[in-house]
Amino acid sequence: MTGRTAPSGAWRPPLSLDEYAERARTRLDPAVWDFIEGGAGDERTLAANRAAFDRVRLRPRVLTGAGEGDPSTTVLGRRWGAPVAVAPMAYHTLMHPDGETATARAAGAAGLPLVVSTFAGRPFAEIAAVAGSPLWLQVYCFRDRATTRRLVERAADAGFEALVLTADTPRLGRRLRDLRNDFRLPPHITPANLPADEADYSSPSEHGRTGLDPSLDWSVIAWLRSVSPLPVLVKGVMTAEDTRCAIAAGADGIVVSNHGGRQLDGTAATLEVLPRIAAAVNGRCALLLDGGVRRGRDVLAALALGADAVLLGRPVLHGLAVAGADGAAGVLDLVLDELSEAMALTGTATAAGADAALLAGPEDTTAVRHHPPGATTTGPEAPPAVGPEASPAAGPENTVPARHHPPESAAGHDRPRPPEPAAEATETAEATEAAGPREEDLHHGVAATPPPTTPHATATATLLKENLHRSVSDPVLDTMNFLNEITGRFPDVVSFAPGRPYEEFFDKDEILDHVRRYLDHLAAGGASDEAIRTALYQYGPTAGQIRGLISDSLRADEGIDVPPGAIVVTVGAQEGMLLALRALFAGPGDVLLVASPCYVGITGAASLLGVPVRPVEERADGLDVADVEAAVLAERARGRRPRAFYVVPDHSNPSGNTLSRRAREELLELAARHDLLILEDSPYRLVSPGAQLPTLKAMDRMRRVVHLGSYAKSVFPGARVGFVVADQPVRDPSGAESLLADELAKIKSMVTVNTPALSQAAVAGALLACGGRLTERNAVPAKHYGEALRVTLEQLDRHFPEDVRDRLGIGWNRPSGGFFLTVRVPFPADNAALLRSAEDHGVIWTPMAYFYPGPGGERSIRLSFSYLSTARIEDGIARFAAFLRAETERSGATGPTPGRDA
């Protein structure tokens, strides 16, 4: 008998996952059972995964008012019914003929994602056709990269939403059960999404030995990004060191996993290493865990120790074997019911608030909890979120691993942390002092928030990061914060990071002159004192009150002939980007193309607005318009509409490249041919020496260009005044026409209302002083920036003659103006290298990878020289050269730099 029978004769489902396992075992061939259940070696790690959860102790709470609790959560921008997904497992068809399609139905019914294995027994399209929740693809990287590429492309075409790279299989572990059984797949069980005629899949271990690529390194993440726009998670991470490497390589998520105990026997359980990995992640990416999850309370324990969600593996296969899709659904329902029960009995209102449910964790180490100055502690009734409690019921395992969070973000999940009792805090501090601090303890702390103790009590509002817009978790924000942190820690270094104007050209009294000149201009034009007062002290027109002066200046300086009504004055160019994107991108199918590497402001605005971005990567000599057209066609083939292309045609930030005149003509022709708009941003041309090529807007005869302007470099940054030239006609359903500028002004009225009148007055005075010809006004600054560029290139040439740079694999471009140039290096130019550069050589730069919306720039550096004196440039390049030599020697990498950065 494989099930119990109710009095009515109806089949009753098992009441625990262990019961599901036992029923599945009786239904399966013993060799198949061993294949799915077995682990590597003596199966110590397999047992350790479950034992770690057995050592966890939860804290029951009463009268909390938490209700039934909400187990839903958000991962990678998608809402899940609970913090559980189905782990990737091969050949569900061994359990049931419907295989992964049955699992997808069960997962969809529960609102949970399914991670589909590379070795799925059903085609991706069939799985996707029945899926009611997100599908992710687990990726094994084969020796033949073309096979992997085709696999990823098929999954993307089927609508899969993420890639999960299994990184712990340079070879398959020694699984004794399979060896004893000489396990072979039945003839009808094959990987439905791999080429049937290119390999023998009957022996999984043998195919793993011959098919999988044993030489993978962290560059595989960039490669995956180059073949797919999908987020990439790395599965198989078990150390904080590898966690940091994964994040530096651009991973969107980490899966703490020892492959279910099927790879290296004798490793730690995943739950044991989770807290330290959570500290290393520090909220910078999604964090999941698998291995040993068998109960709903196991899910709660993993969340309390830092995971965003767990992956549930073998039990789902047990359910499939017992009753197909219904059995898999029964397993998932059982886990979710147990999770809801555990949440209710621990007073956990949401999955994000799981920390307070934990009394003791799986490790025999004392929790260390830090209260920053002013953190609140309460009396003995208040529970610690994590830490020891004087309770004989807990026994000798009543200890918990240290969990560390920065003061402003609890492991990046913003979960509320109930404070510890004062007595317990004292005991913990004493224990820490006696034992000596661990390295992590020196850098992290927790701010406590007391829970309400009565229905009328008030508590500090704690927001959940997963309930905020996904743009706040954009990796760009973390990378720029890291750069700011490095700058703050090493104030005496020479910094080639900020691209700001040279401050010696600013006179503090000049601003007053500018404002006075503008007021005189208004008076000369017949404005009364009352009107001038209103112009300065009131909001003024949303579209701006100096549009006429801007129009005159553009005509005189740039050959851009547009009426004042086609201009909107903005709070810097950044607001202009936001307004343009909001107006132009109306639906989820609209996509923004960007030249890559790319100014982070445009991608940040796109992220804020949920606009999909498709990078078009520059080549070594700059942008190729054919690549833009290829991107347009590719996006249309995917059913999306390329709406606009963002480009900095002159001395771009960050690469320093400039579009040739011919490329500008081709780009305008392409825009007309494909009904594309161009967002042109050229802030450096008016402060660069020599004659400049015409702007795209000056060449625009079909109104295809929306020109984004800024006075940050050509007047002064603190004014925060920019503008948008948007002369495109907009026709409403009645046939009436307006200009795009009018529509942008409507949006601006709901954003900043207007650009500050005093800032406009200062910029207007500067324009009046030079008759609108900023090129003449900036002749001296442009000469300085040109000289700074010349000295930077001269010093690079001096420290690295051609034969030396060829031998070392170092090179750089030679911009004709602007504030930036790009240095190509033979080693990863990541945050770790930047830290070594600051600490050991006293010089800071910017990793070019910061500026790539997708993969790229991993071996390139941006140097900015604009605000440095000649002497500082010479000193800085000497330090930079010493760093390059030391880092090249350290990495052992010499010769031409391979790949995209060559």
Side-chain angles (χ1 to χ4, degrees), residues 158-450:
F160 284 45
E161 298 181 15
L163 306 177
V164 181
L165 172 69
T166 294
D168 59 359
T169 53
R171 57 174 290 172
L172 293 187
R174 183 176 171 82
R175 301 166 190 174
L176 299 184
R177 297 199 205 190
D178 293 346
L179 293 173
R180 294 188 185 105
N181 295 327
D182 190 24
F183 180 73
R184 294 288 189 274
L185 294 172
H188 66 286
I189 302 296
T190 59
N193 301 286
L194 294 175
D197 56 349
E198 293 184 12
D200 179 7
Y201 302 106
S202 62
S203 171
S205 61
E206 179 62 21
H207 177 257
R209 185 183 67 80
T210 60
L212 300 183
D213 185 350
S215 62
L216 293 182
D217 59 24
W218 292 108
S219 66
V220 69
I221 297 176
W223 180 80
L224 283 172
R225 289 188 176 282
S226 73
V227 301
S228 170
L230 298 179
V232 178
L233 298 89
V234 180
K235 181 175 181 289
V237 174
M238 289 289 288
T239 66
E241 293 87 347
D242 281 347
T243 299
R244 287 188 282 269
C245 289
I247 293 172
D252 298 284
I254 301 291
V255 182
V256 181
S257 173
N258 53 32
H259 215 100
R262 292 162 70 82
Q263 282 299 98
L264 178 62
D265 197 26
T267 64
T270 53
L271 194 68
E272 291 173 338
V273 302
L274 174 60
R276 294 196 180 197
I277 292 177
V281 168
N282 195 20
R284 290 179 288 174
C285 68
L287 179 60
L288 291 80
L289 171 139
D290 72 11
V293 178
R294 293 295 183 273
R295 295 157 297 213
R297 64 184 178 90
D298 295 346
V299 179
L300 193 62
L303 299 182
L305 288 169
D308 295 317
V310 304
L311 302 181
L312 184 67
R314 293 177 176 94
V316 178
L317 296 184
H318 301 160
L320 273 180
V322 170
D326 290 340
V331 165
L332 296 175
D333 288 344
L334 184 56
V335 171
L336 299 193
D337 285 345
E338 292 176 348
L339 173 61
S340 295
E341 176 188 66
M343 291 176 65
L345 296 179
T346 57
T348 304
T350 66
D355 298 56
L358 190 67
L359 170 64
E363 289 183 336
D364 295 330
T365 52
T366 302
V368 181
R369 187 162 169 101
H370 303 283
H371 293 286
T376 305
T377 58
T378 63
E381 293 286 323
V386 184
E389 176 172 284
S391 169
E397 294 174 346
N398 184 23
T399 53
V400 65
R403 183 158 184 205
H404 310 284
H405 311 292
E408 297 177 359
S409 176
H413 310 308
D414 291 352
R415 297 176 175 135
R417 300 295 199 280
E420 297 172 346
E424 291 181 359
T426 302
E427 292 166 5
T428 301
E430 291 172 355
T432 303
E433 183 176 354
R438 299 197 302 203
E439 180 181 352
E440 306 98 296
D441 301 340
L442 302 177
H443 302 294
H444 301 286
V446 171
T449 303

Side-chain angles (χ1 to χ4, degrees), residues 791-879:
V791 171
T792 303
L793 292 170
E794 180 183 83
Q795 291 300 307
L796 286 171
D797 287 336
R798 185 171 76 82
H799 287 280
F800 295 101
E802 187 172 356
D803 61 328
V804 175
R805 57 180 180 258
D806 288 345
R807 174 170 53 83
L808 296 179
I810 294 170
W812 50 85
N813 63 342
R814 296 180 178 274
S816 58
F819 289 7
F820 312 101
L821 62 84
T822 304
V823 179
R824 301 179 299 280
V825 296
F827 52 82
D830 54 17
N831 285 349
L834 175 57
L835 182 58
R836 288 190 294 271
S837 180
E839 287 181 334
D840 300 338
H841 302 281
V843 64
I844 291 177
W845 36 267
T846 310
M848 279 289 287
Y850 286 8
F851 303 97
Y852 281 76
E858 295 86 1
R859 294 172 182 258
S860 293
I861 287 169
R862 189 192 78 170
L863 294 185
S864 176
F865 40 80
S866 56
Y867 86 112
L868 297 173
S869 66
T870 298
R872 290 289 278 173
I873 291 173
E874 292 176 351
D875 179 28
I877 293 298
R879 300 183 188 198

Side-chain angles (χ1 to χ4, degrees), residues 439-796:
E439 180 181 352
E440 306 98 296
D441 301 340
L442 302 177
H443 302 294
H444 301 286
V446 171
T449 303
T453 56
T454 74
H456 302 290
T458 58
T460 301
T462 302
L463 303 178
L464 307 180
K465 196 163 187 177
E466 59 264 35
N467 291 338
L468 302 180
H469 191 268
R470 64 179 180 271
S471 62
V472 303
S473 299
D474 195 310
V476 167
L477 302 182
D478 289 328
T479 56
M480 290 306 174
N481 286 340
F482 180 80
L483 186 61
N484 291 337
E485 176 190 341
I486 292 292
T487 304
R489 285 172 58 187
F490 303 98
D492 297 327
V493 301
V494 177
S495 179
F496 289 100
R500 66 189 189 199
Y502 188 52
E503 292 192 358
E504 294 298 320
F505 295 125
F506 299 143
D507 182 342
K508 66 181 186 299
D509 295 327
E510 192 176 24
I511 294 177
L512 302 177
D513 294 337
H514 290 333
V515 173
R516 172 52 61 188
R517 186 178 297 107
Y518 177 59
L519 299 184
D520 292 343
H521 167 76
L522 293 178
S528 65
D529 288 347
E530 292 77 8
I532 294 173
R533 181 179 62 199
T534 298
L536 282 183
Y537 284 95
Q538 298 292 351
Y539 286 137
T542 298
Q545 52 190 356
I546 63 169
R547 292 185 292 168
L549 292 174
I550 294 174
S551 174
D552 292 342
S553 177
L554 288 173
R555 190 176 300 107
D557 234 352
E558 299 280 32
I560 296 175
D561 190 2
V562 292
I567 297 171
V568 178
V569 184
T570 59
V571 182
Q574 191 67 40
E575 188 191 23
M577 296 174 193
L578 186 75
L579 299 178
L581 293 183
R582 181 65 295 159
L584 295 175
F585 290 79
D590 292 343
V591 62
L592 171 67
L593 308 182
V594 298
S596 179
C598 184
Y599 170 58
V600 296
I602 189 70
T603 52
S607 175
L608 181 65
L609 297 173
V611 174
V613 172
R614 166 68 181 256
V616 180
E617 191 164 326
E618 291 184 351
R619 303 191 182 192
D621 57 348
L623 183 73
D624 190 319
V625 176
D627 294 336
V628 182
E629 185 160 34
V632 169
L633 296 175
E635 288 300 314
R636 285 185 174 165
R638 296 182 62 189
R640 302 204 294 188
R641 179 174 68 158
R643 192 76 175 95
F645 174 60
Y646 172 84
V647 63
V648 182
D650 302 289
H651 326 299
S652 94
N653 177 10
S655 69
N657 291 330
T658 293
L659 274 181
S660 68
R661 186 181 186 104
R662 179 57 190 154
R664 295 170 196 239
E665 293 169 349
E666 291 175 351
L667 188 56
L668 290 168
E669 293 168 2
L670 179 148
R673 189 163 63 250
H674 290 290
D675 191 22
L676 188 73
L677 291 175
I678 299 171
L679 302 181
E680 178 186 30
D681 182 13
S682 283
Y684 304 100
R685 53 184 286 111
L686 297 184
V687 288
S688 294
Q692 302 295 315
L693 291 169
T695 64
L696 288 165
K697 188 61 186 173
M699 300 170 65
D700 181 23
R701 298 294 175 264
M702 303 297 291
R703 298 191 186 184
R704 288 285 167 187
V705 178
V706 176
H707 184 82
L708 305 167
S710 169
Y711 293 113
K713 309 302 184 294
S714 56
V715 180
F716 62 94
R720 299 301 300 128
V721 174
F723 58 90
V724 183
V725 177
D727 60 345
Q728 290 72 24
V730 176
R731 184 179 298 111
D732 71 15
S734 71
E737 283 195 355
S738 61
L739 292 179
L740 178 59
D742 300 320
E743 311 307 317
L744 300 186
K746 293 177 186 177
I747 301 172
K748 180 177 170 65
S749 71
M750 295 293 108
V751 181
T752 58
V753 182
N754 79 324
T755 302
L758 279 174
S759 294
Q760 292 190 66
V763 169
L767 293 176
L768 289 166
C770 62
R773 296 186 178 276
L774 290 174
T775 47
E776 295 180 3
R777 177 183 186 274
N778 286 309
V780 173
K783 182 178 180 181
H784 164 81
Y785 298 130
E787 181 67 7
L789 172 59
R790 185 192 65 77
V791 171
T792 303
L793 292 170
E794 180 183 83
Q795 291 300 307
L796 286 171

